[in-house]
Amino acid sequence: MISALNQLVDLVEEHLTEELDIEGLAAGLGTTEYHLRRMFSSLAGMPLSEYVRRRRMTVAAGDVVRGEEDLLEIAVRHGYGSREAFGRAFRAVHGAGPAEVRRDGGPLRTQPQLRFRLTVEGSTPMDTRLVDRPAFRLVGHSTRVPLIHHGVNPHIQQHVAAIPPEEHQRLKALSDAEPAGLLQVTDGADPDGREGTELTYLHGVAVGGGTPVPDGLDAIEAPAGMWAVFRTSGPHPQALQTAWAATATEWFPSNPWRLRPGPSIVAILERADDFSTATCELWLPVEAA
């Protein structure tokens, strides 16, 4: 995986002024666009699209400062159809427009070319099992929420708090498949993992693939395949979020598996009354790399 990411960085450099075919690049590297984007954003701390934009504007800044070409020529060469669009992208990276930078020589914010290296320190215990499951269905109450990487997501809190207690009991009674009990399900997340982008959150349970969806409930389909199940314990939600990040930085780079499209599931096995601590299982859909 680390080798694939470094090859991706090299390919980005070779095609900085072109529209990138990420799906084709991923296929050429023997992986999928979905997994490549997820791993890149987790390890680089920024979406792949943002890295490409920053690198383009870093290279474009040199052309702007040299002053040998019209700004429109530079814009077109770097993939922008107008000076205005180029100017907006340039300002977003450098904090100043191209004309200002040409006049003053700055300010410039350079994005160095990334290079990935694998360092596995074992700082996060990875209690993991692999489960092969037939297709199943997740049923419950869903809503759209923004992605928040750290701390409690208040939008999810509000959604769960609005579900009547008797409905929680109804859902528990419907659960007849693993993972058991009430589940926290996320689906349709941006592969780049950009904070603030919307995803579907479902508070519900797992049932068999052929189980009809009861009236008043939403459903998310979980395709058949392998799941990596990570067990976490400690302060909540910090321990869970730390383990989630560690799957990208430690587990996937050193194991022959990659993410496949599908929902991510959190099962709460035990918790304190005030939810300050919890033991959880994080289910991620995977396939052989």
Side-chain angles (χ1 to χ4, degrees):
M1 191 64 236
I2 296 299
S3 175
L5 288 170
N6 283 326
Q7 290 180 64
L8 172 61
V9 168
D10 292 339
L11 289 168
V12 166
E13 292 300 309
E14 293 171 12
H15 301 279
L16 265 183
T17 60
E18 306 168 22
E19 195 66 34
L20 288 175
D21 176 12
I22 303 301
E23 183 178 3
L25 295 180
L29 294 172
T31 186
T32 65
E33 179 181 0
Y34 181 83
H35 183 70
L36 199 61
R37 284 185 179 275
R38 286 283 297 271
M39 290 301 100
F40 185 97
S41 62
S42 296
L43 293 172
M46 73 180 89
L48 175 59
S49 55
E50 174 65 14
Y51 173 71
V52 171
R53 184 170 69 96
R54 292 185 187 183
R55 284 296 300 151
R56 279 178 175 165
M57 291 302 101
T58 295
V59 174
D63 297 335
V64 169
V65 171
R66 279 191 292 272
E68 298 171 357
E69 298 173 281
D70 180 84
L71 291 178
L72 180 58
E73 292 179 274
I74 298 173
V76 171
R77 186 167 69 256
H78 288 279
Y80 294 86
S82 67
R83 288 180 55 166
E84 291 74 18
F86 175 68
R88 286 193 296 270
F90 194 94
R91 183 178 292 276
V93 171
H94 297 291
E100 298 169 71
V101 168
R102 173 164 285 184
R103 182 187 67 234
D104 302 329
L108 294 174
R109 296 172 184 163
T110 300
Q111 171 61 59
Q113 184 176 342
L114 289 178
R115 187 56 51 184
F116 293 93
R117 292 180 176 86
L118 176 59
T119 302
V120 181
E121 298 177 346
S123 57
T124 305
M126 304 299 288
D127 183 357
T128 313
R129 61 190 173 99
L130 292 164
V131 180
D132 191 4
R133 288 291 320 279
F136 60 97
R137 181 170 284 161
L138 298 151
V139 298
H141 296 276
S142 70
T143 187
R144 297 286 288 173
V145 300
L147 174 62
I148 295 177
H149 288 302
H150 302 288
V152 174
N153 188 319
H155 306 277
I156 291 176
Q157 274 191 323
Q158 293 168 13
H159 173 65
V160 175
I163 300 173
E166 60 271 19
E167 189 64 10
H168 290 279
Q169 296 305 315
R170 176 196 178 200
L171 289 171
K172 287 181 181 179
L174 290 172
S175 175
D176 65 2
E178 194 183 11
L182 287 173
L183 308 172
Q184 302 170 357
V185 183
T186 56
D187 191 37
D190 177 8
D192 281 337
R194 293 175 295 171
E195 187 148 12
T197 54
E198 282 201 335
L199 54 82
T200 296
Y201 174 83
L202 181 138
H203 185 77
V205 296
V207 298
T211 302
V213 180
D215 292 341
L217 297 183
D218 305 305
I220 294 174
E221 304 299 328
M226 295 294 295
W227 294 78
V229 184
F230 303 89
R231 189 183 181 97
T232 71
S233 187
H236 188 77
Q238 293 86 352
L240 176 63
Q241 291 170 336
T242 298
W244 202 314
T247 64
T249 58
E250 298 183 20
W251 195 81
F252 280 109
S254 53
N255 285 277
W257 300 94
R258 66 187 178 199
L259 285 165
R260 59 183 172 90
S264 301
I265 305 169
V266 173
I268 308 295
L269 305 183
E270 298 176 0
R271 70 178 182 88
D273 291 339
D274 62 358
F275 228 139
S276 59
T277 62
T279 298
C280 308
E281 281 189 344
L282 169 62
W283 289 58
L284 297 180
V286 299
E287 62 187 6

